[in-house]
Amino acid sequence: MIRRFFSKFLYFSCYYGMISFSQPKSMIEKSKINVNWKVIGHAQQKLYLESAFFGNRLTHSYLFSGPPHVGKTALALDFARLLNCENGNLCGKCLACVNPVEIFSELIVIDKDTEIKIDEIRSLKRDLALKPLSGQKKVAIIANAENLNRESANSLLKFLEEPQKDNFFILTTAAVGFLPQTIVSRVQKINFSPNSKQETEKHLNSLDISKAITKQVLELAPNKIGLANILSKNIEELERWRQQDMELDDLFSQSVFERMQYTSQISKLETQQIVNIFKTWLILSESRLRQTKQKDMKAQTDFIKALNTALMHFKSNLNKRLVLDNFVLSF
């Protein structure tokens, strides 16, 4: 019984990034140059990238894998600037460091919550084919890479197999299990863990927001600085997340019949709207799992598994009512 429980916990911990497997110590060496990273936390990941950068051990393709909203894409942006920084330390003065993302000519970013289509990958390839203008490297960041469809993933794979000399790819994902294994096998994977509550609270205290807002944000996103940053700046979004959190409580307390009634209502929404609700529940459930007592952990892990199964079925374009009915019977 204990062995089975631990196996389940280890599976979810690895999948959602709650357990971080550090890089080999032989590959991590402290640089003598102080890099001015803007991202909070993730010291081991920064150290690994510094070691690769200053030790001339860069690979052309990276996969930043871990929970959503913990700073994966933000660190990818920092790393892209470091690759092009004139002083090699994120000096904050050269064009690579100060240019907004929108006019940073050496950087191409695909960051969306919906399906990433083949035309977007083709456009990215055309941009990468152009030589760098002011910087040294061209960097493509594909956030939420699990949203690649089959055609776009295959198109990207061909590019990853034969990268150009000055091109770098950084993929980020909160669901590495949704990515084709052919892509995962061709990138250097770096695991990310949730932020500590102390890091999140320290960041919120540095912002010009009330203590009441700080408390509400910490309750929803104690280990996700990225999400905390969004919620602290958008009261409407904060209220939406609070509403979803309350609906999550209701869902757990309802009978199967009541859950079926609820899913019957949301089945009238567009599929993408339902997917967004499920992704919100998944993020909230991850935070709850870290605070759950051992005796209640099975219910939380079963719910997370049901959410992920439903999201995978939605991605496969299965009938949404069938997916929802299967979901409520799975936890």
Side-chain angles (χ1 to χ4, degrees):
M1 179 72 178
I2 294 175
R3 183 180 299 174
R4 190 184 311 150
F5 170 80
F6 181 75
S7 297
K8 279 192 174 184
F9 176 68
L10 184 60
Y11 167 78
F12 285 109
S13 297
C14 295
Y15 192 83
Y16 295 108
M18 290 179 291
I19 293 179
S20 176
F21 297 97
S22 60
Q23 309 300 332
K25 289 184 179 180
S26 61
M27 296 186 68
I28 301 179
E29 301 167 1
K30 180 62 180 174
S31 167
K32 295 180 181 179
I33 299 176
N34 183 38
V35 178
N36 303 309
W37 300 99
K38 294 181 180 179
V39 175
I40 299 171
H42 308 304
Q44 286 296 309
Q45 289 77 4
K46 292 174 183 175
L47 192 56
Y48 178 77
L49 293 172
E50 287 180 26
S51 176
F53 179 68
F54 293 111
N56 198 27
R57 293 194 296 267
L58 293 170
T59 61
H60 283 278
S61 306
Y62 292 89
L63 174 63
F64 291 2
S65 175
H69 298 295
V70 298
K72 300 186 302 296
T73 302
L75 187 58
L77 289 168
D78 263 7
F79 189 46
R81 294 185 188 280
L82 177 62
L83 290 172
N84 286 286
C85 177
E86 292 178 9
N87 296 299
N89 66 342
L90 289 176
C91 64
K93 299 176 182 179
C94 68
L95 289 177
C97 289
V98 301
N99 272 347
V101 172
E102 294 78 13
I103 61 172
F104 185 8
S105 59
E106 318 312 329
L107 177 64
I108 304 107
V109 180
I110 298 177
D111 187 357
K112 53 189 295 192
D113 291 326
T114 54
E115 185 180 57
I116 300 173
K117 299 181 179 180
I118 190 170
D119 287 345
E120 294 169 279
I121 301 301
R122 287 171 176 165
S123 175
L124 180 148
K125 287 182 178 181
R126 288 193 293 270
D127 289 339
L128 287 175
L130 302 174
K131 290 185 178 181
L133 296 177
S134 56
Q136 307 168 42
K137 315 290 184 186
K138 299 208 75 169
V139 185
I141 297 175
I142 303 178
N144 305 312
E146 67 273 11
N147 291 329
L148 290 161
N149 62 27
R150 182 180 299 178
E151 292 77 15
S152 58
N154 287 336
S155 180
L156 176 63
L157 177 62
K158 294 177 182 177
F159 214 49
L160 293 177
E161 290 174 334
E162 299 177 359
Q164 296 185 31
K165 180 182 177 181
D166 295 322
N167 288 353
F168 289 85
F169 285 90
I170 307 174
L171 282 62
T172 76
T173 183
V176 68
F178 286 7
L179 279 172
Q181 188 58 37
T182 48
I183 285 182
V184 176
S185 65
R186 285 168 174 78
V187 296
Q188 175 64 55
K189 185 181 175 186
I190 300 178
N191 292 323
F192 283 68
S193 297
N195 308 106
S196 70
K197 185 176 181 179
Q198 291 75 16
E199 288 173 337
T200 307
E201 188 170 10
K202 182 179 179 180
H203 172 66
L204 290 172
N205 287 335
S206 71
L207 304 177
D208 185 21
I209 58 176
S210 68
K211 290 184 178 180
I213 295 296
T214 296
K215 182 180 178 182
Q216 291 175 17
V217 171
L218 270 178
E219 288 174 352
L220 293 170
N223 307 106
K224 299 178 186 296
I225 286 181
L227 178 58
N229 202 43
I230 293 170
L231 299 182
S232 66
K233 296 177 180 179
N234 190 327
I235 299 300
E236 289 184 4
E237 190 68 3
L238 174 59
E239 188 55 39
R240 185 182 75 82
W241 277 78
R242 291 184 66 198
Q243 184 64 37
Q244 289 295 328
D245 194 47
M246 288 186 285
E247 288 188 12
L248 198 55
D249 282 332
D250 291 341
L251 198 64
F252 266 101
S253 63
Q254 289 173 347
S255 66
V256 173
F257 177 72
E258 290 172 322
R259 291 173 184 173
M260 295 288 279
Q261 286 184 313
Y262 175 75
T263 53
S264 176
Q265 293 175 357
I266 66 172
S267 67
K268 299 172 185 177
L269 300 174
E270 295 293 329
T271 299
Q272 188 57 49
Q273 291 177 293
I274 302 173
V275 167
N276 291 340
I277 291 172
F278 275 40
K279 285 183 176 180
T280 300
W281 285 350
L282 186 58
I283 292 170
L284 291 170
S285 297
E286 289 172 10
S287 296
R288 290 182 177 204
L289 184 61
R290 293 178 61 83
Q291 304 170 53
T292 298
K293 295 180 180 179
Q294 184 169 326
K295 65 177 182 178
D296 300 321
M297 192 169 286
K298 184 180 184 304
Q300 285 288 341
T301 53
D302 285 348
F303 183 68
I304 288 173
K305 185 176 180 180
L307 284 170
N308 273 291
T309 300
L311 288 170
M312 188 174 291
H313 287 162
F314 281 130
K315 188 171 183 178
S316 300
N317 295 317
L318 297 185
N319 180 276
K320 63 181 176 181
R321 186 56 194 269
L322 182 63
V323 173
L324 290 170
D325 287 347
N326 182 68
F327 165 71
V328 297
L329 296 173
S330 300
F331 65 95

